[in-house]
Amino acid sequence: VPVSGLAGQWFGLHDKVFIIEILGQAENNFDYYDSQRKSDVFKDIFGRDFQFGESKKFLTKIFDDVMAVIEKDRNYYERSGGGVTVSGGDPLMQSDFTRELLKACRDARIHTCLESTFNIDWKIAEDVVRYADLIISDIKHMDSEIHRKYTGAGCEKVLENLRRLALDGHDMILRIPLIPGINDDMQNISRTADFIEQNIGERLKTL
């Protein structure tokens, strides 16, 4: 059950989580977000002025709200063999919250899945994936320049992180979105298959 689709409640929570993480960073780095703008944004969302130091308190409250929604579906998870998938956007852009949410689900014996592009520093990803029972990602293109042309970033970091995930023993579902004229040529398909065979191997789960 994707967290991003929970009962229509997630979208408001998601927005608040994002802005609170921004505000939390702003408390530690005033150059990141000027004080007046920070206060204005907070007031727009919560209806009152921001008080320095309170972002952690609100993030905790929102975290508890999300876990309460998840717990309501526990019987469904147990009957179906499913669990909670944290997707996005990209949840690793909110890595602290995602880590704590996956950890809480794991502690509650709820199966956890993380869906990400993994176009992020391994140090950030590593801190989160330890609490994920299953990883979902994709390989869009093996040529970094073509990948950059259509996504805005090269594929080196993505591929390296997928290698690391496999080496660390994470089960993965990899999707390959075939786009006519972009990545459906035999050369790219062959390179993709070779990468998976050589680097992912038995960690790959099929649908």
mmCIF file of all heavy atoms in Angstrom, residues 18-52:
data_model
loop_
_atom_site.group_PDB
_atom_site.id
_atom_site.type_symbol
_atom_site.label_atom_id
_atom_site.label_comp_id
_atom_site.label_asym_id
_atom_site.label_seq_id
_atom_site.Cartn_x
_atom_site.Cartn_y
_atom_site.Cartn_z
ATOM 1 N N PHE A 18 7.476 18.087 4.040
ATOM 2 C CA PHE A 18 8.461 18.744 3.190
ATOM 3 C C PHE A 18 8.832 20.106 3.743
ATOM 4 O O PHE A 18 10.004 20.426 3.899
ATOM 5 C CB PHE A 18 7.914 18.895 1.777
ATOM 6 C CG PHE A 18 8.823 19.682 0.873
ATOM 7 C CD1 PHE A 18 9.986 19.110 0.397
ATOM 8 C CD2 PHE A 18 8.530 20.979 0.527
ATOM 9 C CE1 PHE A 18 10.841 19.834 -0.417
ATOM 10 C CE2 PHE A 18 9.372 21.707 -0.287
ATOM 11 C CZ PHE A 18 10.528 21.134 -0.764
ATOM 12 N N ILE A 19 7.846 20.908 4.088
ATOM 13 C CA ILE A 19 8.148 22.259 4.528
ATOM 14 C C ILE A 19 8.812 22.252 5.889
ATOM 15 O O ILE A 19 9.678 23.075 6.179
ATOM 16 C CB ILE A 19 6.875 23.151 4.534
ATOM 17 C CG1 ILE A 19 7.278 24.635 4.594
ATOM 18 C CG2 ILE A 19 5.958 22.823 5.696
ATOM 19 C CD1 ILE A 19 8.093 25.106 3.422
ATOM 20 N N ILE A 20 8.481 21.285 6.741
ATOM 21 C CA ILE A 20 9.118 21.230 8.050
ATOM 22 C C ILE A 20 10.573 20.822 7.914
ATOM 23 O O ILE A 20 11.445 21.311 8.626
ATOM 24 C CB ILE A 20 8.346 20.281 8.979
ATOM 25 C CG1 ILE A 20 7.060 20.983 9.435
ATOM 26 C CG2 ILE A 20 9.175 19.911 10.195
ATOM 27 C CD1 ILE A 20 6.136 20.124 10.219
ATOM 28 N N GLU A 21 10.883 19.929 6.968
ATOM 29 C CA GLU A 21 12.286 19.594 6.760
ATOM 30 C C GLU A 21 13.051 20.806 6.234
ATOM 31 O O GLU A 21 14.195 21.038 6.605
ATOM 32 C CB GLU A 21 12.414 18.410 5.802
ATOM 33 C CG GLU A 21 12.014 17.103 6.451
ATOM 34 C CD GLU A 21 12.720 15.904 5.853
ATOM 35 O OE1 GLU A 21 13.384 16.059 4.816
ATOM 36 O OE2 GLU A 21 12.620 14.835 6.448
ATOM 37 N N ILE A 22 12.426 21.584 5.367
ATOM 38 C CA ILE A 22 13.047 22.820 4.895
ATOM 39 C C ILE A 22 13.297 23.761 6.066
ATOM 40 O O ILE A 22 14.370 24.326 6.221
ATOM 41 C CB ILE A 22 12.144 23.519 3.850
ATOM 42 C CG1 ILE A 22 12.057 22.694 2.576
ATOM 43 C CG2 ILE A 22 12.645 24.922 3.557
ATOM 44 C CD1 ILE A 22 13.326 22.656 1.767
ATOM 45 N N LEU A 23 12.284 23.916 6.914
ATOM 46 C CA LEU A 23 12.410 24.817 8.059
ATOM 47 C C LEU A 23 13.459 24.303 9.033
ATOM 48 O O LEU A 23 14.213 25.074 9.624
ATOM 49 C CB LEU A 23 11.058 24.965 8.762
ATOM 50 C CG LEU A 23 9.954 25.622 7.925
ATOM 51 C CD1 LEU A 23 8.620 25.543 8.656
ATOM 52 C CD2 LEU A 23 10.298 27.070 7.634
ATOM 53 N N GLY A 24 13.507 22.987 9.214
ATOM 54 C CA GLY A 24 14.508 22.420 10.108
ATOM 55 C C GLY A 24 15.916 22.712 9.631
ATOM 56 O O GLY A 24 16.803 23.044 10.416
ATOM 57 N N GLN A 25 16.123 22.618 8.319
ATOM 58 C CA GLN A 25 17.433 22.956 7.771
ATOM 59 C C GLN A 25 17.704 24.443 7.936
ATOM 60 O O GLN A 25 18.836 24.853 8.197
ATOM 61 C CB GLN A 25 17.500 22.565 6.297
ATOM 62 C CG GLN A 25 17.447 21.056 6.074
ATOM 63 C CD GLN A 25 17.445 20.728 4.603
ATOM 64 O OE1 GLN A 25 18.292 21.168 3.849
ATOM 65 N NE2 GLN A 25 16.466 19.937 4.180
ATOM 66 N N ALA A 26 16.649 25.227 7.809
ATOM 67 C CA ALA A 26 16.823 26.677 7.923
ATOM 68 C C ALA A 26 17.264 27.068 9.319
ATOM 69 O O ALA A 26 18.009 28.033 9.507
ATOM 70 C CB ALA A 26 15.514 27.384 7.568
ATOM 71 N N GLU A 27 16.813 26.332 10.327
ATOM 72 C CA GLU A 27 17.210 26.654 11.692
ATOM 73 C C GLU A 27 18.714 26.478 11.881
ATOM 74 O O GLU A 27 19.333 27.159 12.699
ATOM 75 C CB GLU A 27 16.464 25.760 12.684
ATOM 76 C CG GLU A 27 14.992 26.101 12.782
ATOM 77 C CD GLU A 27 14.281 25.215 13.785
ATOM 78 O OE1 GLU A 27 14.959 24.571 14.590
ATOM 79 O OE2 GLU A 27 13.041 25.188 13.772
ATOM 80 N N ASN A 28 19.297 25.556 11.125
ATOM 81 C CA ASN A 28 20.722 25.298 11.257
ATOM 82 C C ASN A 28 21.560 26.090 10.263
ATOM 83 O O ASN A 28 22.782 26.115 10.354
ATOM 84 C CB ASN A 28 20.992 23.796 11.057
ATOM 85 C CG ASN A 28 20.317 22.966 12.121
ATOM 86 O OD1 ASN A 28 20.343 23.336 13.289
ATOM 87 N ND2 ASN A 28 19.697 21.871 11.729
ATOM 88 N N ASN A 29 20.902 26.709 9.298
ATOM 89 C CA ASN A 29 21.634 27.432 8.268
ATOM 90 C C ASN A 29 20.768 28.576 7.750
ATOM 91 O O ASN A 29 19.956 28.389 6.865
ATOM 92 C CB ASN A 29 22.002 26.472 7.121
ATOM 93 C CG ASN A 29 22.784 27.170 6.028
ATOM 94 O OD1 ASN A 29 23.099 28.357 6.137
ATOM 95 N ND2 ASN A 29 23.083 26.446 4.966
ATOM 96 N N PHE A 30 20.929 29.750 8.314
ATOM 97 C CA PHE A 30 20.056 30.867 7.970
ATOM 98 C C PHE A 30 20.260 31.330 6.538
ATOM 99 O O PHE A 30 19.412 32.005 5.982
ATOM 100 C CB PHE A 30 20.288 32.031 8.947
ATOM 101 C CG PHE A 30 19.655 31.788 10.284
ATOM 102 C CD1 PHE A 30 20.420 31.432 11.372
ATOM 103 C CD2 PHE A 30 18.277 31.891 10.440
ATOM 104 C CE1 PHE A 30 19.837 31.195 12.597
ATOM 105 C CE2 PHE A 30 17.684 31.663 11.670
ATOM 106 C CZ PHE A 30 18.463 31.311 12.767
ATOM 107 N N ASP A 31 21.373 30.961 5.908
ATOM 108 C CA ASP A 31 21.576 31.311 4.515
ATOM 109 C C ASP A 31 20.684 30.477 3.603
ATOM 110 O O ASP A 31 20.436 30.840 2.460
ATOM 111 C CB ASP A 31 23.041 31.095 4.110
ATOM 112 C CG ASP A 31 23.959 32.076 4.817
ATOM 113 O OD1 ASP A 31 23.465 33.153 5.200
ATOM 114 O OD2 ASP A 31 25.139 31.755 4.988
ATOM 115 N N TYR A 32 20.215 29.342 4.101
ATOM 116 C CA TYR A 32 19.432 28.425 3.279
ATOM 117 C C TYR A 32 18.040 28.987 3.009
ATOM 118 O O TYR A 32 17.466 28.788 1.959
ATOM 119 C CB TYR A 32 19.317 27.072 3.995
ATOM 120 C CG TYR A 32 18.623 26.001 3.196
ATOM 121 C CD1 TYR A 32 19.329 25.262 2.247
ATOM 122 C CD2 TYR A 32 17.273 25.738 3.375
ATOM 123 C CE1 TYR A 32 18.688 24.276 1.514
ATOM 124 C CE2 TYR A 32 16.637 24.758 2.647
ATOM 125 C CZ TYR A 32 17.353 24.030 1.723
ATOM 126 O OH TYR A 32 16.726 23.055 0.997
ATOM 127 N N TYR A 33 17.486 29.682 3.954
ATOM 128 C CA TYR A 33 16.105 30.170 3.830
ATOM 129 C C TYR A 33 15.983 31.385 4.718
ATOM 130 O O TYR A 33 16.164 31.288 5.927
ATOM 131 C CB TYR A 33 15.160 29.061 4.321
ATOM 132 C CG TYR A 33 13.895 28.911 3.535
ATOM 133 C CD1 TYR A 33 13.920 28.374 2.247
ATOM 134 C CD2 TYR A 33 12.680 29.272 4.088
ATOM 135 C CE1 TYR A 33 12.755 28.196 1.533
ATOM 136 C CE2 TYR A 33 11.506 29.103 3.376
ATOM 137 C CZ TYR A 33 11.544 28.558 2.102
ATOM 138 O OH TYR A 33 10.397 28.375 1.396
ATOM 139 N N ASP A 34 15.691 32.543 4.177
ATOM 140 C CA ASP A 34 15.681 33.740 5.008
ATOM 141 C C ASP A 34 14.541 33.679 6.020
ATOM 142 O O ASP A 34 13.490 33.079 5.789
ATOM 143 C CB ASP A 34 15.573 34.998 4.133
ATOM 144 C CG ASP A 34 14.214 35.158 3.494
ATOM 145 O OD1 ASP A 34 13.343 35.758 4.148
ATOM 146 O OD2 ASP A 34 14.035 34.673 2.362
ATOM 147 N N SER A 35 14.742 34.307 7.171
ATOM 148 C CA SER A 35 13.843 34.167 8.310
ATOM 149 C C SER A 35 12.417 34.606 7.997
ATOM 150 O O SER A 35 11.453 33.956 8.394
ATOM 151 C CB SER A 35 14.391 34.974 9.490
ATOM 152 O OG SER A 35 15.647 34.494 9.874
ATOM 153 N N GLN A 36 12.262 35.716 7.296
ATOM 154 C CA GLN A 36 10.919 36.208 7.016
ATOM 155 C C GLN A 36 10.153 35.254 6.113
ATOM 156 O O GLN A 36 8.977 34.957 6.335
ATOM 157 C CB GLN A 36 10.982 37.598 6.367
ATOM 158 C CG GLN A 36 9.606 38.228 6.133
ATOM 159 C CD GLN A 36 8.815 38.357 7.438
ATOM 160 O OE1 GLN A 36 9.327 38.888 8.419
ATOM 161 N NE2 GLN A 36 7.582 37.855 7.455
ATOM 162 N N ARG A 37 10.827 34.754 5.071
ATOM 163 C CA ARG A 37 10.183 33.812 4.164
ATOM 164 C C ARG A 37 9.799 32.541 4.919
ATOM 165 O O ARG A 37 8.724 31.972 4.717
ATOM 166 C CB ARG A 37 11.125 33.490 2.999
ATOM 167 C CG ARG A 37 10.564 32.476 2.003
ATOM 168 C CD ARG A 37 9.260 32.940 1.391
ATOM 169 N NE ARG A 37 8.749 31.983 0.436
ATOM 170 C CZ ARG A 37 7.473 31.854 0.125
ATOM 171 N NH1 ARG A 37 6.573 32.617 0.703
ATOM 172 N NH2 ARG A 37 7.088 30.970 -0.766
ATOM 173 N N LYS A 38 10.696 32.072 5.775
ATOM 174 C CA LYS A 38 10.430 30.884 6.569
ATOM 175 C C LYS A 38 9.155 31.067 7.393
ATOM 176 O O LYS A 38 8.275 30.204 7.424
ATOM 177 C CB LYS A 38 11.618 30.611 7.493
ATOM 178 C CG LYS A 38 11.418 29.459 8.457
ATOM 179 C CD LYS A 38 12.663 29.212 9.280
ATOM 180 C CE LYS A 38 12.922 30.352 10.252
ATOM 181 N NZ LYS A 38 14.051 30.062 11.148
ATOM 182 N N SER A 39 9.026 32.209 8.046
ATOM 183 C CA SER A 39 7.867 32.490 8.869
ATOM 184 C C SER A 39 6.590 32.574 8.034
ATOM 185 O O SER A 39 5.535 32.070 8.422
ATOM 186 C CB SER A 39 8.078 33.800 9.634
ATOM 187 O OG SER A 39 6.973 34.089 10.449
ATOM 188 N N ASP A 40 6.687 33.191 6.862
ATOM 189 C CA ASP A 40 5.511 33.339 5.993
ATOM 190 C C ASP A 40 5.001 31.986 5.521
ATOM 191 O O ASP A 40 3.789 31.730 5.513
ATOM 192 C CB ASP A 40 5.858 34.210 4.781
ATOM 193 C CG ASP A 40 6.080 35.670 5.161
ATOM 194 O OD1 ASP A 40 5.692 36.057 6.284
ATOM 195 O OD2 ASP A 40 6.654 36.401 4.333
ATOM 196 N N VAL A 41 5.928 31.115 5.096
ATOM 197 C CA VAL A 41 5.534 29.798 4.598
ATOM 198 C C VAL A 41 4.878 28.991 5.710
ATOM 199 O O VAL A 41 3.847 28.345 5.516
ATOM 200 C CB VAL A 41 6.751 29.048 4.027
ATOM 201 C CG1 VAL A 41 6.392 27.597 3.714
ATOM 202 C CG2 VAL A 41 7.259 29.741 2.769
ATOM 203 N N PHE A 42 5.466 29.024 6.872
ATOM 204 C CA PHE A 42 4.922 28.276 8.000
ATOM 205 C C PHE A 42 3.509 28.755 8.327
ATOM 206 O O PHE A 42 2.597 27.956 8.558
ATOM 207 C CB PHE A 42 5.830 28.448 9.223
ATOM 208 C CG PHE A 42 5.466 27.563 10.381
ATOM 209 C CD1 PHE A 42 6.035 26.312 10.521
ATOM 210 C CD2 PHE A 42 4.547 27.981 11.327
ATOM 211 C CE1 PHE A 42 5.704 25.488 11.578
ATOM 212 C CE2 PHE A 42 4.207 27.175 12.396
ATOM 213 C CZ PHE A 42 4.780 25.925 12.525
ATOM 214 N N LYS A 43 3.312 30.059 8.312
ATOM 215 C CA LYS A 43 2.006 30.617 8.651
ATOM 216 C C LYS A 43 0.958 30.224 7.622
ATOM 217 O O LYS A 43 -0.199 29.946 7.963
ATOM 218 C CB LYS A 43 2.098 32.134 8.766
ATOM 219 C CG LYS A 43 0.869 32.775 9.403
ATOM 220 C CD LYS A 43 1.142 34.220 9.771
ATOM 221 C CE LYS A 43 -0.044 34.806 10.536
ATOM 222 N NZ LYS A 43 0.244 36.197 10.986
ATOM 223 N N ASP A 44 1.351 30.186 6.343
ATOM 224 C CA ASP A 44 0.427 29.768 5.299
ATOM 225 C C ASP A 44 -0.071 28.351 5.532
ATOM 226 O O ASP A 44 -1.234 28.027 5.266
ATOM 227 C CB ASP A 44 1.102 29.836 3.921
ATOM 228 C CG ASP A 44 1.267 31.268 3.435
ATOM 229 O OD1 ASP A 44 0.607 32.165 3.994
ATOM 230 O OD2 ASP A 44 2.070 31.484 2.508
ATOM 231 N N ILE A 45 0.805 27.469 6.012
ATOM 232 C CA ILE A 45 0.456 26.063 6.184
ATOM 233 C C ILE A 45 -0.251 25.805 7.510
ATOM 234 O O ILE A 45 -1.272 25.135 7.565
ATOM 235 C CB ILE A 45 1.727 25.182 6.079
ATOM 236 C CG1 ILE A 45 2.275 25.243 4.665
ATOM 237 C CG2 ILE A 45 1.412 23.737 6.454
ATOM 238 C CD1 ILE A 45 3.557 24.500 4.483
ATOM 239 N N PHE A 46 0.280 26.364 8.597
ATOM 240 C CA PHE A 46 -0.227 26.031 9.919
ATOM 241 C C PHE A 46 -1.138 27.097 10.536
ATOM 242 O O PHE A 46 -1.717 26.889 11.593
ATOM 243 C CB PHE A 46 0.941 25.758 10.869
ATOM 244 C CG PHE A 46 1.720 24.526 10.497
ATOM 245 C CD1 PHE A 46 2.911 24.627 9.809
ATOM 246 C CD2 PHE A 46 1.252 23.263 10.807
ATOM 247 C CE1 PHE A 46 3.634 23.502 9.455
ATOM 248 C CE2 PHE A 46 1.961 22.136 10.460
ATOM 249 C CZ PHE A 46 3.151 22.247 9.781
ATOM 250 N N GLY A 47 -1.229 28.256 9.880
ATOM 251 C CA GLY A 47 -2.139 29.268 10.358
ATOM 252 C C GLY A 47 -1.646 30.081 11.530
ATOM 253 O O GLY A 47 -2.425 30.767 12.197
ATOM 254 N N ARG A 48 -0.379 30.012 11.821
ATOM 255 C CA ARG A 48 0.179 30.818 12.909
ATOM 256 C C ARG A 48 1.666 31.013 12.687
ATOM 257 O O ARG A 48 2.261 30.411 11.791
ATOM 258 C CB ARG A 48 -0.065 30.173 14.266
ATOM 259 C CG ARG A 48 0.651 28.834 14.479
ATOM 260 C CD ARG A 48 0.419 28.336 15.890
ATOM 261 N NE ARG A 48 1.153 27.121 16.166
ATOM 262 C CZ ARG A 48 2.448 27.071 16.452
ATOM 263 N NH1 ARG A 48 3.184 28.177 16.456
ATOM 264 N NH2 ARG A 48 3.036 25.919 16.706
ATOM 265 N N ASP A 49 2.283 31.855 13.509
ATOM 266 C CA ASP A 49 3.694 32.170 13.343
ATOM 267 C C ASP A 49 4.589 31.006 13.752
ATOM 268 O O ASP A 49 4.257 30.220 14.645
ATOM 269 C CB ASP A 49 4.066 33.406 14.171
ATOM 270 C CG ASP A 49 3.445 34.678 13.617
ATOM 271 O OD1 ASP A 49 3.186 34.704 12.404
ATOM 272 O OD2 ASP A 49 3.203 35.603 14.408
ATOM 273 N N PHE A 50 5.716 30.920 13.075
ATOM 274 C CA PHE A 50 6.734 29.907 13.362
ATOM 275 C C PHE A 50 7.556 30.314 14.580
ATOM 276 O O PHE A 50 7.956 31.468 14.715
ATOM 277 C CB PHE A 50 7.646 29.759 12.143
ATOM 278 C CG PHE A 50 8.799 28.822 12.333
ATOM 279 C CD1 PHE A 50 8.618 27.456 12.250
ATOM 280 C CD2 PHE A 50 10.079 29.313 12.589
ATOM 281 C CE1 PHE A 50 9.683 26.587 12.407
ATOM 282 C CE2 PHE A 50 11.135 28.446 12.754
ATOM 283 C CZ PHE A 50 10.950 27.090 12.662
ATOM 284 N N GLN A 51 7.783 29.355 15.469
ATOM 285 C CA GLN A 51 8.628 29.597 16.629
ATOM 286 C C GLN A 51 9.932 28.825 16.460
ATOM 287 O O GLN A 51 9.919 27.634 16.177
ATOM 288 C CB GLN A 51 7.929 29.140 17.925
ATOM 289 C CG GLN A 51 6.603 29.838 18.184
ATOM 290 C CD GLN A 51 6.782 31.321 18.413
ATOM 291 O OE1 GLN A 51 7.695 31.752 19.126
ATOM 292 N NE2 GLN A 51 5.905 32.118 17.813
ATOM 293 N N PHE A 52 11.051 29.509 16.642
ATOM 294 C CA PHE A 52 12.351 28.883 16.442
ATOM 295 C C PHE A 52 12.473 27.619 17.301
ATOM 296 O O PHE A 52 12.167 27.616 18.486
ATOM 297 C CB PHE A 52 13.465 29.863 16.828
ATOM 298 C CG PHE A 52 14.841 29.356 16.517
ATOM 299 C CD1 PHE A 52 15.390 29.547 15.255
ATOM 300 C CD2 PHE A 52 15.585 28.672 17.464
ATOM 301 C CE1 PHE A 52 16.652 29.083 14.957
ATOM 302 C CE2 PHE A 52 16.847 28.202 17.174
ATOM 303 C CZ PHE A 52 17.385 28.411 15.926
#
